Amino acid sequence: MRNIVLVDAPSNLGLRPPAPGTVPGCYKLAGALRERGILRRLGAFEGGVVVPPRYDRGDWQEGDGVFNAAAIASYTRTLADRIEHHVRGEDFVVVLGGDCSIQLGAALALRRIGRYGIASIDGSADFRHPGNSDRIGAAGGEELALATGRGQRDLTDLEGLRPYVRDEDVCIFGLRDGDEDRAEFTTLKITNATVGELRKWGAENIARAVAQTLEEPELDGFWVHLDADVLDPSVMPAVDSPDPGGLFAEELLELLRPFVRSPRCVGLNVTIYDPDLDPDGKAGDLLTDVIVEAFAQS
């Protein structure tokens, strides 16, 4: 068994403010899951905190590109240094976010090492880019596009390593049925499955089959990105965009387990859960339980 190392990445740099003069509360995710004993329950080693820059959009306006871009670029490099260290040491890295822009840290780290895939478990694809949208700004809704080289070069080409992940090495699960991005994914040959498809064919069956493709020799391994908004709002209301029609806890567990148990999986990041939106704590309890159970030995 590899050592599991828990790293906090409490960045909210990639989200729009929930209200004027406020900041997104997802930076509290890591602390909230730690309060629920996730370090002990995973039997993990302490990996510390990668402290993000201050959230400050300054005088940013629509049309200016990605806000907080310089801060995100700096943070991506710093987080990548931490992740790279542990992956090269053959640890399994669990990164507690934070918003989805923290995934760029993992993507850059793994690109430094070799060729890696990504299994993205997300209620939305986070694939907004200048080729399909005129509302670029929040990197938390654009990180997969940025990781595959779409968007401004100060985020897509750090260290001259664009793209961090190839299109053909991306797999996306948990999109809502009818998601408009699917047409573009078909053209790009990006593997994807909606909630309805996961239910029709079985989340665990699909995950096992796709994990095998990510274990092919041409890849050095793969990373898992977990966005809490893949869950249905009836069980996970504490996200910035709670869209109906998501997975339930047992379905997410069936999907997540085959990936994190694969010997070729090198890490997992968890994003978007906002404790400010979870006054009774039930959503945080559920998310922690699912993650812990995914790693539990049967």
Side-chain angles (χ1 to χ4, degrees):
M1 288 290 295
R2 291 171 292 174
N3 292 330
I4 298 175
V5 176
L6 200 66
V7 175
D8 292 5
S11 172
N12 57 7
L13 294 169
L15 289 187
R16 296 177 185 272
T22 66
V23 298
C26 63
Y27 72 93
K28 301 178 183 179
L29 181 157
L33 269 59
R34 282 180 177 269
E35 283 185 344
R36 290 165 170 81
I38 193 169
L39 180 75
R40 171 186 53 80
R41 294 170 66 187
L42 287 175
F45 289 83
E46 181 59 72
V49 182
V50 182
V51 179
R54 184 166 64 96
Y55 185 98
D56 182 4
R57 300 199 305 169
D59 58 358
W60 179 89
Q61 297 180 349
E62 294 286 351
D64 289 348
V66 176
F67 56 75
N68 290 327
I72 291 171
S74 173
Y75 190 66
T76 294
R77 293 188 187 95
T78 304
L79 181 57
D81 291 344
R82 186 76 60 91
I83 293 172
E84 179 185 6
H85 168 76
H86 289 296
V87 173
R88 288 190 183 277
E90 299 186 355
D91 296 325
F92 189 104
V93 191
V94 175
V95 181
L96 302 179
D99 73 73
C100 293
S101 67
I102 69 164
Q103 191 274 320
L104 291 171
L108 177 61
L110 298 177
R111 178 66 178 86
R112 291 171 177 173
I113 299 170
R115 178 180 172 184
Y116 285 78
I118 179 169
S120 179
I121 302 174
D122 200 329
S124 59
D126 294 347
F127 206 72
R128 186 173 59 241
H129 60 84
N132 64 20
S133 176
D134 59 0
R135 196 165 184 262
I136 301 302
E142 300 157 14
E143 93 284 340
L144 191 55
L146 293 166
T148 55
R150 295 169 173 86
Q152 57 198 65
R153 296 192 71 91
D154 57 346
L155 292 173
T156 62
D157 197 26
L158 296 172
E159 302 173 12
L161 293 176
R162 175 179 179 175
Y164 314 133
V165 185
R166 303 185 191 187
D167 291 348
E168 61 267 32
D169 299 335
V170 174
C171 307
I172 307 170
F173 307 92
L175 299 173
R176 300 308 194 250
D177 296 327
D179 190 292
E180 296 179 353
D181 287 325
R182 298 197 76 197
E184 185 173 9
F185 297 150
T186 298
T187 300
L188 298 173
K189 296 182 171 56
I190 292 178
T191 300
N192 62 94
T194 66
V195 170
E197 290 166 340
L198 292 169
R199 287 176 177 155
K200 179 179 180 179
W201 302 108
E204 186 171 359
N205 293 334
I206 290 178
R208 289 187 184 280
V210 174
Q212 289 181 354
T213 70
L214 293 170
E215 292 169 355
E216 291 296 320
E218 60 264 28
L219 290 178
D220 295 296
F222 66 94
W223 184 269
V224 178
H225 167 72
L226 172 60
D227 183 331
D229 74 12
V230 75
L231 289 161
D232 192 82
S234 63
V235 295
M236 177 52 69
V239 297
D240 63 313
S241 298
D243 294 326
L247 295 175
F248 295 105
E250 186 60 34
E251 294 170 321
L252 174 56
L253 178 58
E254 291 176 358
L255 181 63
L256 183 60
R257 184 188 286 125
F259 289 121
V260 300
R261 292 187 179 185
S262 167
R264 300 291 298 284
C265 184
V266 299
L268 161 75
N269 61 249
V270 185
T271 63
I272 292 300
Y273 165 65
D274 184 342
D276 288 346
L277 304 176
D278 186 26
D280 63 10
K282 291 181 179 178
D285 292 342
L286 180 145
L287 181 60
T288 306
D289 290 346
V290 168
I291 295 166
V292 170
E293 184 61 28
F295 285 91
Q297 295 300 307
S298 55

